[in-house]
Amino acid sequence: MNDANNPRFTRRAVLKGAVLLATAVTALSGATQQALAGNKASKAAMQYRDKPNGKKECSNCIQFVPGKTPKAMGSCKVVAGKISPHGWCLAYAPKS
Ligand code: SF4
């Protein structure tokens, strides 16, 4: 018996496998995007530091979420953990 006569290799079986594979790839891609959207970068990965880079600091970055007072630690939309208003990282983006 050659593969053409083998029921495991019918056109229907191949198409069914292709559809299942495409569905699995789509589902995995969605899960990956969701996971990435929910995670922030680590301070180390973004080379975060508690000191400004010249006049560039978190308090004038569009990603900064201030704390209760101007001097209080805040947070960042893209970097995990508590963030100093006088910190800085590679993702710095000035407010316009
Ligand atoms: Fe600070 Fe970087 Fe977050 Fe901007 S992106 S607020 S510079 S930690």
Side-chain angles (χ1 to χ4, degrees):
M1 181 188 308
N2 62 27
D3 286 344
N5 296 329
N6 185 335
R8 289 176 24 197
F9 292 99
T10 63
R11 186 179 305 169
R12 180 176 293 184
V14 171
L15 287 174
K16 189 174 176 181
V19 169
L20 288 174
L21 180 61
T23 303
V25 168
T26 302
L28 185 59
S29 175
T32 302
Q33 287 174 356
Q34 204 169 26
L36 290 175
N39 290 335
K40 294 182 180 180
S42 70
K43 288 180 176 178
M46 301 312 290
Q47 296 180 22
Y48 171 84
R49 64 190 198 195
D50 287 330
K51 295 181 178 179
N53 182 4
K55 292 185 178 182
K56 300 175 183 174
E57 63 179 27
C58 297
S59 65
N60 56 37
C61 173
I62 59 172
Q63 307 295 357
F64 186 63
V65 180
K68 291 183 179 179
T69 66
K71 291 184 179 179
M73 297 292 274
S75 62
C76 175
K77 296 173 187 170
V78 296
V79 178
K82 293 186 177 186
I83 302 294
S84 167
H86 304 297
W88 175 88
C89 85
L90 292 176
Y92 173 83
K95 295 177 183 173
S96 54

